[in-house]
Amino acid sequence: MIAKSLHRILFISMIIIGVIWIVVPFIMAILWSLVDPAEPWTVDLVTPPVMSFYRWTYMWESSNLKDALFNSYLLAPTVSIITLIFSIPTAYVFGRYNFVGKEIAKLLCLLPLVTPYFVLSVFLTATIISFGLSEYRVAAIVLAHAVMFLPYAIRIMTVGFEQVSQEHIDAARDLSATTFSRWRVAYFPALRPAFFASILIVFIQSIEEFAVAFILGSPTFVTIPTLLFSTMGQDFVRPNAAVLSLILVVPNVVLMLFLEKLLRTANPAMISGKGLK
Amino acid sequence: MSILKVKNLFKSYGKIEVLKNFSLDIDSTEFVSLLGPSGCGKTTVLKIISGFISPDKGTVFIEDIDVSNTPPEKRNTAMCFQSYALFPHLTVEDNIKFGLYEKKIPKNKSKDLFEEAIEHLSLSQELGKYPNELSGGQQQRVALGRALVTRPKIILFDEPLSNLDAILRGTVRNEIKRIQSEFKLTAIYVTHDQSEALSISDRVLLMKEGEINQIDTPEKIYDNPISYFSASFVGISNIHHFKNPKKLENNFIEVDTNVGKLKLFYKNNLTDKNIYVSWRPEKAEVGEQRENTLFGRIKSIAFQGAFTELEVAIKNIKIKIITQKRGFKINEEIKFGIKPENLLVLEQS
Ligand SMILES: Nc1ncnc2c1ncn2[C@@H]1O[C@H](COP(=O)(O)OP(=O)(O)OP(=O)(O)O)[C@@H](O)[C@H]1O
Ligand SMILES: [Mg+2]
């Protein structure tokens, strides 16, 4: 009885929080992005008096939005893949071997998370300039993002490697499998969910990151967040900001739903190879 | 002909000695069970034979070739894992063909091998399915098929039935035995289930704390346990500590035990280690006997259909008796006896 009503209370609070945190801001953003410049949306009105796609076309044509989109959607996937590749050796060792001091080593790997991004980016800018490498500022952003988000990837991939069944590896070896086949039948199926999770997290982190992209990239290299902040900074036009934040957020949501679906197909029975029906 | 020789294996993890001077010699087509309590080192032995663990000391010969330094992928052994370890995203067909492919067996030969395995294991209906779409018994058969399709010299089973329910266990056990003899495989079978070991094996190797306690045919293990451990681990035994052995004529001896004096037949010389005498519950004969007659009070009666199990107390010592006779009452005093030749002298170990 208590469990049931507790369940209900939790469920209702979840809905309320969900509405306050997600639905309301979303609707507000959508409404704001539709405000027509002819009539301002004043506090006494529930919805904008005149609605149009003017702001959308305006932002698309007049600002750096096209460049920003291109840059962001080039940067984020590149960073996710590179971070994933960088994380594999460390995660392999953490996930497959036991050694003294492993827990401390794992903690040390999280250190980049506590370094403020501004400090990191100022340091990197200084380095780039002093080595005369200003042309490589995009590569520097990629590298900086990879370093910043590596802890997430390592943590996720470590769990992935822990999921690989030693018996599958042994069974493959026992049947004379080559190294490649061993990875194909024992490692990859178990690592698949971790691959997706790591790519997803790093992708979202990278696409939303401002400090490094701004300090290292400006003024030539714009991403959606840097464009968003500069739009807000110069002359803050709320409807324009709404358009940008929607553009920033919607693909993430789509991507998340898509990956969530992929993750769900990787069910535990498929990973363990056991599971009686 | 000896196909597998394991000589003087030692293996320790830190301070724990897992194997202590373990040696074994197995003939071609023989079925040998490794039976022993949890943690006695059975899996370790299998992993050393298949090459996944290297021993601290000792050698492994397969067909008289020293393979001690050969990695598992180059050894001609195949392992059937306790959890089956089927590759979850490969179909039954691809699982079974995996070894054929990885061992680069020519196409036409591998086709014959595959079809023969499928037929013997009755898996032709399941080829397109994935492991998680199979029942436990079917998964076990696929694991077996995957291991034997390449015709390894030795097939190793690590508690292959422990994930099956009791009914299926009997069926699959008989299947393993049938396939082993049809394919003329040499098999080493790890189990801690004594009835499994007794029913399926040519020889049973009884292990205790990393050492061989007794290795014999199932009948001999049951009828002539040599140690306290084998008498109590395989089947049920009544075991008494004895003192003051006295030699009588014609290889009989008489000993003092906590249930009274017992006369027994023992040809060999007693050593310091021989301190127990044991007998199987079904060897007791109810009623007045010529020798070794004992008195006791019935404490419990369990009628089992074909026989009745009695628990009898002599002073405070509980004894088990299995008899075909019926009509017992609780707290009834009974007499029973054991023939001297049915009393066995055991070693302490
Ligand atoms: N990698 C390891 N590190 C440390 N100790 C180990 C390791 N592998 C096995 N052991 C120890 O070695 C002993 C024998 O292990 P083994 O797996 O051979 O037992 P087993 O007879 O197969 O037992 P079970 O019936 O439970 O499977 C156990 O005490 C176990 O704790
Ligand atoms: Mg074991």
Side-chain angles (χ1 to χ4, degrees), chain A residues 51-70:
Chain A
M51 288 199 266
S52 74
F53 283 105
Y54 174 83
R55 305 283 179 179
W56 287 83
T57 39
Y58 170 80
M59 284 308 284
W60 183 252
E61 273 155 16
S62 68
S63 70
N64 286 334
L65 183 56
K66 271 171 278 188
D67 285 345
L69 273 175
F70 178 80

Side-chain angles (χ1 to χ4, degrees), chain A residues 10-189:
Chain A
L10 283 177
F11 185 74
I12 291 169
S13 356
M14 203 184 75
I15 298 271
I16 293 172
I17 292 171
V19 167
I20 295 175
W21 275 72
I22 297 165
V23 180
V24 172
F26 248 97
I27 292 177
M28 292 303 282
I30 291 170
L31 289 177
W32 270 109
S33 76
L34 296 175
V35 173
D36 192 275
E39 283 275 345
W41 184 13
T42 45
V43 199
D44 52 316
L45 299 171
V46 180
T47 56
V50 184
M51 288 199 266
S52 74
F53 283 105
Y54 174 83
R55 305 283 179 179
W56 287 83
T57 39
Y58 170 80
M59 284 308 284
W60 183 252
E61 273 155 16
S62 68
S63 70
N64 286 334
L65 183 56
K66 271 171 278 188
D67 285 345
L69 273 175
F70 178 80
N71 289 343
S72 281
Y73 281 92
L74 188 69
L75 183 64
T78 315
V79 170
S80 335
I81 303 291
I82 288 179
T83 313
L84 181 67
I85 293 170
F86 280 4
S87 73
I88 286 178
T90 315
Y92 177 81
V93 173
F94 283 162
R96 300 307 304 173
Y97 292 97
N98 277 318
F99 52 91
V100 185
K102 179 160 138 179
E103 290 311 311
I104 293 174
K106 275 181 166 177
L107 267 181
L108 283 178
C109 262
L110 294 182
L111 267 191
L113 290 185
V114 297
T115 318
Y117 293 164
F118 271 101
V119 174
L120 182 71
S121 34
V122 167
F123 163 74
L124 272 173
T125 326
T127 318
I128 284 173
I129 291 168
S130 62
F131 282 94
L133 296 172
S134 324
E135 297 136 69
Y136 300 104
R137 52 178 63 219
V138 178
I141 297 176
V142 171
L143 186 70
H145 276 192
V147 171
M148 282 151 54
F149 306 135
L150 201 55
Y152 297 106
I154 288 178
R155 259 302 152 97
I156 295 169
M157 291 305 292
T158 299
V159 176
F161 275 105
E162 282 165 355
Q163 299 301 309
V164 179
S165 130
Q166 186 62 44
E167 288 208 332
H168 284 149
I169 303 173
D170 288 353
R173 289 187 70 186
D174 202 44
L175 295 161
S176 309
T178 57
T179 311
F180 175 76
S181 301
R182 222 181 289 166
W183 276 80
R184 179 172 64 89
V185 297
Y187 286 93
F188 285 131

Side-chain angles (χ1 to χ4, degrees), chain B residues 26-136:
Chain B
I26 291 180
D27 284 340
S28 186
T29 74
E30 207 180 0
F31 197 114
V32 175
S33 295
L34 295 191
L35 176 66
S38 189
C40 72
K42 306 180 295 291
T43 301
T44 307
V45 171
L46 279 202
K47 288 198 169 165
I48 288 176
I49 293 172
S50 54
F52 289 110
I53 296 179
S54 42
D56 300 339
K57 256 195 259 170
T59 21
V60 177
F61 297 90
I62 295 176
E63 293 192 311
D64 293 323
I65 296 167
D66 183 350
V67 295
S68 304
N69 296 315
T70 312
E73 43 276 53
K74 301 233 168 69
R75 288 195 194 184
N76 206 345
T77 58
M79 185 102 160
C80 263
F81 293 86
Q82 182 171 2
S83 70
Y84 316 140
L86 298 176
F87 303 128
H89 66 298
L90 297 186
T91 59
V92 169
E93 177 167 353
D94 291 340
N95 263 288
I96 296 176
K97 283 185 172 166
F98 186 80
L100 293 172
Y101 179 77
E102 295 295 329
K103 289 185 198 235
K104 305 202 170 52
I105 293 171
K107 272 253 162 59
N108 47 352
K109 193 178 169 210
S110 78
K111 191 165 173 276
D112 294 344
L113 288 171
F114 176 74
E115 274 164 12
E116 193 178 355
I118 293 304
E119 191 191 325
H120 280 273
L121 292 158
S122 342
L123 281 169
S124 46
Q125 300 297 311
E126 333 293 342
L127 293 181
K129 290 188 180 164
Y130 286 91
N132 65 339
E133 298 169 333
L134 301 175
S135 71

